[in-house]
Amino acid sequence: MSKMKIAVFGLALTVALLHTAFSTDSPRGTVKGRVVDAFEHAPIGGAYVLLHGSEDIVTHTDAEGMYSSTVKPGIFDVFVSSVGFSPVCRGFRVEPGQTVVYDVTMKVNNDVQEQ
C-alpha cells in the first residue's frame, strides 16, 4: 500500500473510532419504580427522586407514586425524599438497554417536629 492510502485508512479508522466512543446513539437504560409509605403501602405522590451518577436527573413521583427516567449507562445512587418521611438512598448499576426497577418503601420520620 502506498503511504497516502495508509494515511487515509488511518484517518478513516480514527474518525470511526471517535464517532463510536462519543456517539450519543448508544443504548440508554431506564430506572423506574414506585414509592409507598411503610405503614399502609399507600403511594407517595410528589416525592423527590434524584438519580446521581453518569448524569444527574431529578424527577418526582406521580399521584400513584410512580417514577421513571431514561439514563446513560453507569453507576448511580438514587436518593428519594418526601416531607414527613425519612430519606432513602441506594446504589446500583444500569447497563445499556437495561431497566432497573427500584421500588421504595418510606418510613415516617418521627423526628419531624410540628411548628
Side-chain angles (χ1 to χ4, degrees):
M1 265 187 166
S2 73
K3 288 182 181 181
M4 181 61 130
K5 286 183 182 179
I6 293 172
V8 170
F9 177 75
L11 179 61
L13 182 60
T14 301
V15 169
L17 289 173
L18 286 173
H19 176 71
T20 301
F22 295 105
S23 176
T24 58
D25 297 337
S26 63
R28 294 176 64 86
T30 301
V31 178
K32 67 179 187 175
R34 186 166 190 240
V35 179
V36 298
D37 75 77
F39 183 66
E40 296 179 345
H41 298 286
I44 300 175
Y48 173 86
V49 180
L50 168 65
L51 297 164
H52 174 69
S54 59
E55 62 184 329
D56 289 340
I57 297 173
V58 175
T59 188
H60 292 87
T61 58
D62 64 16
E64 297 300 315
M66 304 296 290
Y67 72 94
S68 181
S69 290
T70 303
V71 298
K72 294 178 185 177
I75 297 173
F76 285 87
D77 289 317
V78 62
F79 301 94
V80 182
S81 65
S82 186
V83 174
F85 295 90
S86 296
V88 177
C89 178
R90 178 179 167 213
F92 52 84
R93 176 183 291 276
V94 179
E95 300 293 338
Q98 177 186 26
T99 297
V100 173
V101 178
Y102 179 49
D103 293 331
V104 177
T105 301
M106 299 188 79
K107 295 180 181 177
V108 172
N109 184 348
N110 293 324
D111 294 334
V112 176
Q113 299 177 359
E114 292 184 28
Q115 295 182 9

PDB file of all heavy atoms in Angstrom, residues 72-85:
ATOM      1  N   LYS A  72     -28.128   7.448  30.964  1.00  0.00           N
ATOM      2  CA  LYS A  72     -26.931   6.878  30.365  1.00  0.00           C
ATOM      3  C   LYS A  72     -26.498   5.696  31.219  1.00  0.00           C
ATOM      4  O   LYS A  72     -26.639   5.735  32.443  1.00  0.00           O
ATOM      5  CB  LYS A  72     -25.790   7.901  30.353  1.00  0.00           C
ATOM      6  CG  LYS A  72     -26.021   9.089  29.475  1.00  0.00           C
ATOM      7  CD  LYS A  72     -24.835  10.034  29.592  1.00  0.00           C
ATOM      8  CE  LYS A  72     -25.077  11.317  28.824  1.00  0.00           C
ATOM      9  NZ  LYS A  72     -23.965  12.264  29.003  1.00  0.00           N
ATOM     10  N   PRO A  73     -25.973   4.637  30.620  1.00  0.00           N
ATOM     11  CA  PRO A  73     -25.483   3.518  31.423  1.00  0.00           C
ATOM     12  C   PRO A  73     -24.399   3.979  32.400  1.00  0.00           C
ATOM     13  O   PRO A  73     -23.643   4.901  32.112  1.00  0.00           O
ATOM     14  CB  PRO A  73     -24.898   2.565  30.377  1.00  0.00           C
ATOM     15  CG  PRO A  73     -25.588   2.929  29.103  1.00  0.00           C
ATOM     16  CD  PRO A  73     -25.831   4.407  29.184  1.00  0.00           C
ATOM     17  N   GLY A  74     -24.345   3.344  33.556  1.00  0.00           N
ATOM     18  CA  GLY A  74     -23.338   3.689  34.542  1.00  0.00           C
ATOM     19  C   GLY A  74     -23.784   3.315  35.938  1.00  0.00           C
ATOM     20  O   GLY A  74     -24.792   2.642  36.138  1.00  0.00           O
ATOM     21  N   ILE A  75     -23.012   3.779  36.914  1.00  0.00           N
ATOM     22  CA  ILE A  75     -23.304   3.526  38.323  1.00  0.00           C
ATOM     23  C   ILE A  75     -24.054   4.729  38.880  1.00  0.00           C
ATOM     24  O   ILE A  75     -23.658   5.874  38.654  1.00  0.00           O
ATOM     25  CB  ILE A  75     -22.010   3.268  39.111  1.00  0.00           C
ATOM     26  CG1 ILE A  75     -21.334   2.005  38.573  1.00  0.00           C
ATOM     27  CG2 ILE A  75     -22.289   3.144  40.597  1.00  0.00           C
ATOM     28  CD1 ILE A  75     -19.971   1.737  39.152  1.00  0.00           C
ATOM     29  N   PHE A  76     -25.133   4.455  39.600  1.00  0.00           N
ATOM     30  CA  PHE A  76     -25.989   5.507  40.133  1.00  0.00           C
ATOM     31  C   PHE A  76     -26.241   5.325  41.619  1.00  0.00           C
ATOM     32  O   PHE A  76     -26.265   4.212  42.127  1.00  0.00           O
ATOM     33  CB  PHE A  76     -27.360   5.506  39.439  1.00  0.00           C
ATOM     34  CG  PHE A  76     -27.343   6.062  38.067  1.00  0.00           C
ATOM     35  CD1 PHE A  76     -27.044   5.254  36.991  1.00  0.00           C
ATOM     36  CD2 PHE A  76     -27.608   7.399  37.838  1.00  0.00           C
ATOM     37  CE1 PHE A  76     -27.017   5.762  35.705  1.00  0.00           C
ATOM     38  CE2 PHE A  76     -27.581   7.926  36.558  1.00  0.00           C
ATOM     39  CZ  PHE A  76     -27.290   7.095  35.489  1.00  0.00           C
ATOM     40  N   ASP A  77     -26.466   6.446  42.289  1.00  0.00           N
ATOM     41  CA  ASP A  77     -27.066   6.474  43.609  1.00  0.00           C
ATOM     42  C   ASP A  77     -28.428   7.112  43.406  1.00  0.00           C
ATOM     43  O   ASP A  77     -28.548   8.114  42.685  1.00  0.00           O
ATOM     44  CB  ASP A  77     -26.253   7.326  44.588  1.00  0.00           C
ATOM     45  CG  ASP A  77     -24.949   6.670  44.977  1.00  0.00           C
ATOM     46  OD1 ASP A  77     -24.953   5.456  45.229  1.00  0.00           O
ATOM     47  OD2 ASP A  77     -23.923   7.377  45.028  1.00  0.00           O
ATOM     48  N   VAL A  78     -29.450   6.535  44.003  1.00  0.00           N
ATOM     49  CA  VAL A  78     -30.770   7.150  43.941  1.00  0.00           C
ATOM     50  C   VAL A  78     -31.125   7.618  45.344  1.00  0.00           C
ATOM     51  O   VAL A  78     -30.945   6.893  46.316  1.00  0.00           O
ATOM     52  CB  VAL A  78     -31.848   6.200  43.354  1.00  0.00           C
ATOM     53  CG1 VAL A  78     -32.031   4.964  44.198  1.00  0.00           C
ATOM     54  CG2 VAL A  78     -33.175   6.920  43.189  1.00  0.00           C
ATOM     55  N   PHE A  79     -31.547   8.865  45.435  1.00  0.00           N
ATOM     56  CA  PHE A  79     -31.981   9.477  46.688  1.00  0.00           C
ATOM     57  C   PHE A  79     -33.465   9.799  46.546  1.00  0.00           C
ATOM     58  O   PHE A  79     -33.857  10.470  45.599  1.00  0.00           O
ATOM     59  CB  PHE A  79     -31.213  10.772  46.954  1.00  0.00           C
ATOM     60  CG  PHE A  79     -29.728  10.589  47.051  1.00  0.00           C
ATOM     61  CD1 PHE A  79     -28.925  10.757  45.946  1.00  0.00           C
ATOM     62  CD2 PHE A  79     -29.130  10.236  48.261  1.00  0.00           C
ATOM     63  CE1 PHE A  79     -27.543  10.585  46.016  1.00  0.00           C
ATOM     64  CE2 PHE A  79     -27.757  10.067  48.348  1.00  0.00           C
ATOM     65  CZ  PHE A  79     -26.963  10.238  47.235  1.00  0.00           C
ATOM     66  N   VAL A  80     -34.262   9.318  47.488  1.00  0.00           N
ATOM     67  CA  VAL A  80     -35.699   9.581  47.465  1.00  0.00           C
ATOM     68  C   VAL A  80     -36.065  10.263  48.774  1.00  0.00           C
ATOM     69  O   VAL A  80     -35.690   9.799  49.853  1.00  0.00           O
ATOM     70  CB  VAL A  80     -36.506   8.271  47.299  1.00  0.00           C
ATOM     71  CG1 VAL A  80     -37.998   8.575  47.232  1.00  0.00           C
ATOM     72  CG2 VAL A  80     -36.056   7.510  46.060  1.00  0.00           C
ATOM     73  N   SER A  81     -36.797  11.371  48.674  1.00  0.00           N
ATOM     74  CA  SER A  81     -37.230  12.071  49.880  1.00  0.00           C
ATOM     75  C   SER A  81     -38.620  12.654  49.677  1.00  0.00           C
ATOM     76  O   SER A  81     -39.048  12.913  48.556  1.00  0.00           O
ATOM     77  CB  SER A  81     -36.234  13.178  50.252  1.00  0.00           C
ATOM     78  OG  SER A  81     -36.210  14.176  49.258  1.00  0.00           O
ATOM     79  N   SER A  82     -39.299  12.816  50.794  1.00  0.00           N
ATOM     80  CA  SER A  82     -40.626  13.428  50.792  1.00  0.00           C
ATOM     81  C   SER A  82     -40.868  13.992  52.190  1.00  0.00           C
ATOM     82  O   SER A  82     -40.395  13.417  53.184  1.00  0.00           O
ATOM     83  CB  SER A  82     -41.693  12.392  50.430  1.00  0.00           C
ATOM     84  OG  SER A  82     -42.956  13.020  50.302  1.00  0.00           O
ATOM     85  N   VAL A  83     -41.597  15.074  52.281  1.00  0.00           N
ATOM     86  CA  VAL A  83     -41.865  15.730  53.558  1.00  0.00           C
ATOM     87  C   VAL A  83     -42.541  14.744  54.508  1.00  0.00           C
ATOM     88  O   VAL A  83     -43.504  14.062  54.145  1.00  0.00           O
ATOM     89  CB  VAL A  83     -42.760  16.979  53.351  1.00  0.00           C
ATOM     90  CG1 VAL A  83     -43.161  17.588  54.681  1.00  0.00           C
ATOM     91  CG2 VAL A  83     -42.048  17.992  52.486  1.00  0.00           C
ATOM     92  N   GLY A  84     -41.989  14.643  55.717  1.00  0.00           N
ATOM     93  CA  GLY A  84     -42.559  13.788  56.742  1.00  0.00           C
ATOM     94  C   GLY A  84     -42.034  12.363  56.749  1.00  0.00           C
ATOM     95  O   GLY A  84     -42.425  11.554  57.589  1.00  0.00           O
ATOM     96  N   PHE A  85     -41.137  12.033  55.797  1.00  0.00           N
ATOM     97  CA  PHE A  85     -40.585  10.686  55.697  1.00  0.00           C
ATOM     98  C   PHE A  85     -39.062  10.733  55.775  1.00  0.00           C
ATOM     99  O   PHE A  85     -38.441  11.715  55.376  1.00  0.00           O
ATOM    100  CB  PHE A  85     -40.998  10.018  54.384  1.00  0.00           C
ATOM    101  CG  PHE A  85     -42.470   9.764  54.275  1.00  0.00           C
ATOM    102  CD1 PHE A  85     -43.319  10.717  53.728  1.00  0.00           C
ATOM    103  CD2 PHE A  85     -43.009   8.571  54.718  1.00  0.00           C
ATOM    104  CE1 PHE A  85     -44.682  10.484  53.622  1.00  0.00           C
ATOM    105  CE2 PHE A  85     -44.370   8.326  54.619  1.00  0.00           C
ATOM    106  CZ  PHE A  85     -45.211   9.282  54.074  1.00  0.00           C
TER     107      PHE A  85
END
